[in-house]
Amino acid sequence: MVSKPRLLVTRKLSPEVEERAAHDYDAIFNPDDQVFTSSELVAACQQVDAVLPCHSEMFTANVIAALPERLRVIANHSVGVDHIDLSAAAARGIIVTNTPDVLSDATAEIAILCMLGAARRGAEGNRLLRENRWASWSPSFMVGRQVTGKRFGILGMGRVGQVAAARARGFDMEIHYHNRQRLPPDQEEGAIWHETIESLVAASDVLSLHCPATPDTIGVIDAERLDLMPRGAILVNTARGSLVDEDALCDALQSGHLFAAGLDVFRTEPGGNLRLSALENVFVLPHIGSATFETRIAMGFRALDNLDAVFAGCDAPDRVA
Ligand code: 8YV
C-alpha cells in the first residue's frame, strides 16, 4: 500500500476539516493550538511532505531556507499570503497555495459591520451600557452618520471588494473603486473607477480597504491620503493592518477630520493598537473577518483540495507561488 503524505496542520481547525485531513493524510495536528515560534515551526516541518498553516505562522526567508527537501507544498488556510516569503518559496521550488473566494461573503459581512459600527457609534454605545453609564436620553444623544445613499469607496476591487460593493448597494450607496486595472462593465455594475488612489479617497464617504498587503500597498493609507478624505468620512479596514499608518489614523480621528473608523485588522496581531482602541470613535474587532463556522470549513476544505491536487500530480487550483 502506498503511504499517505505526511502533513503538518499548524493550528486547531474545524472538526470536519481535521477529520478529512486525518482520513486522507498521515496528519499531525496541534490539539492545544499553541502558536509555533519560528524555530518550532522549522522543527515541526522536518518530517513532513506538506504543511497547512494559518496566517499566524511566519514563513520568512530564513524559515523557508531551513525547510526539508521533502516538503513540497505550503497550503495556506488563508487568502492573504503576506506571512510567506513567496520568492524564497519559489526559489526552493516549494508550492504555495491560498484559499480565495470561500471567505469573501464572511469578510464582506464584517466590512459592513465595521462600517455601521463606526457610522452609528457602535463602540461608544456598547461601552455605555456595559459600564452601566447610560443615564439619560435626548434627541441629540449619540447621533451618528447615516450611510444610506453615501459614497462607498473600495480600494482593491477583487473578490472581497466586489462582494462588499454588492452589500453596500443594499444601502443605496454609490460605489467607487480603485484597482490597478479597471474591471469589465459586467463586473463593475455601475461602480465608478478612479485611476488614482488620491482620486478615490477624495470621493469616499466610507473608504473600505480590500487589497492584499504587498510591498506596493504597505502604508498605502498614510497621513496625506487620510487628509484627502472628505471631512467626516469613515475608514474601514478588514484587509491587513499594515495597509494603514496607524499613528496618522489616530491623529485624523482625534482631530475630527475623520468621523470614525471600523477596524478588524491591525499592524500588531494579536493585541491590536491600544491608542486606536482607546478612541470612542473607533469600532474594533479582533481579526474575525472570515470567522464563521461555514467559512472555516470551506477554507480548510479548499486548502485540502489544493494539497490533494499536488499529491495527485495535478496543478494546485489556488497556486500563488
Ligand atoms: C483568516 C485572513 O481568518 O484569509 C485571510 O487572509 O486574513 C483571515 O480572514 C486567517 O488568515 C486564517 O488563517
Side-chain angles (χ1 to χ4, degrees):
M1 200 180 93
V2 183
S3 60
K4 295 175 186 175
R6 198 152 168 76
L7 168 68
L8 172 69
V9 180
T10 62
R11 303 300 302 272
K12 191 167 169 53
L13 302 181
S14 312
E16 293 85 344
V17 175
E18 294 201 346
E19 198 180 307
R20 179 174 150 187
H23 182 268
D24 297 341
Y25 293 87
D26 177 9
I28 306 165
F29 296 107
N30 179 1
D32 298 331
D33 205 25
Q34 302 275 11
V35 183
F36 291 113
T37 62
S38 292
S39 52
E40 287 166 347
L41 182 60
V42 168
C45 285
Q46 290 312 305
Q47 308 301 328
V48 298
D49 306 300
V51 56
L52 195 165
C54 293
H55 80 278
S56 45
E57 283 69 66
M58 300 297 152
F59 284 86
T60 59
N62 284 344
V63 167
I64 287 174
L67 294 177
E69 279 298 318
R70 67 183 277 185
L71 194 143
R72 292 177 56 194
V73 47
I74 303 173
N76 286 290
H77 180 278
S78 66
V79 67
V81 287
D82 49 311
H83 57 294
I84 311 241
D85 190 321
L86 294 180
S87 34
R92 286 215 44 200
I94 297 173
I95 295 168
V96 181
T97 63
N98 71 343
T99 58
D101 298 316
V102 290
L103 44 64
S104 304
D105 287 337
T107 308
E109 284 181 7
I110 286 288
I112 298 300
L113 174 61
C114 285
M115 171 177 76
L116 295 177
R120 302 302 299 271
R121 303 170 65 167
E124 199 182 336
N126 199 268
R127 216 172 277 166
L128 267 187
L129 280 150
R130 287 179 182 276
E131 295 171 4
N132 196 18
R133 288 187 291 109
W134 183 26
S136 67
W137 184 92
S138 83
S140 56
F141 172 64
M142 290 238 7
V143 175
R145 290 191 94 87
Q146 191 152 313
V147 299
T148 303
K150 302 278 170 56
R151 297 168 297 177
F152 188 74
I154 298 175
L155 182 58
M157 190 69 140
R159 301 172 183 91
V160 183
Q162 287 178 43
V163 180
R167 303 296 172 262
R169 283 188 187 101
F171 293 100
D172 294 332
M173 297 185 83
E174 184 179 270
I175 311 301
H176 293 247
Y177 75 99
H178 169 79
N179 233 21
R180 273 172 306 176
Q181 291 196 335
R182 186 172 178 172
L183 298 182
D186 61 317
Q187 284 175 41
E188 236 177 21
E189 293 185 61
I192 298 158
W193 179 64
H194 292 256
E195 196 169 349
T196 65
I197 298 174
E198 283 68 25
S199 162
L200 173 72
V201 301
S204 300
D205 298 311
V206 176
L207 176 67
S208 192
L209 310 183
H210 296 289
C211 54
T214 66
D216 287 342
T217 60
I218 287 174
V220 66
I221 300 302
D222 58 11
E224 276 128 60
R225 287 180 174 143
L226 288 167
D227 208 41
L228 287 175
M229 290 176 71
R231 190 170 176 81
I234 290 167
L235 180 74
V236 170
N237 190 5
T238 56
R240 283 292 182 267
S242 59
L243 301 176
V244 177
D245 177 337
E246 291 180 338
D247 284 332
L249 176 59
C250 278
D251 295 343
L253 288 159
Q254 277 180 312
S255 72
H257 177 62
L258 290 190
F259 180 74
L263 308 171
D264 182 46
V265 289
F266 300 88
R267 282 186 172 246
T268 303
E269 295 183 5
N273 180 314
L274 296 184
R275 197 178 154 209
L276 278 168
S277 308
L279 298 178
E280 290 284 32
N281 54 350
V282 178
F283 179 85
V284 280
L285 292 171
H287 198 150
I288 54 166
S290 61
T292 67
F293 294 111
E294 297 87 340
T295 294
R296 285 287 181 252
I297 294 172
M299 289 170 77
F301 280 7
R302 187 98 177 202
L304 289 170
D305 291 344
N306 281 301
L307 286 171
D308 293 352
V310 171
F311 288 106
C314 307
D315 288 338
D318 306 312
R319 184 169 181 172
V320 292

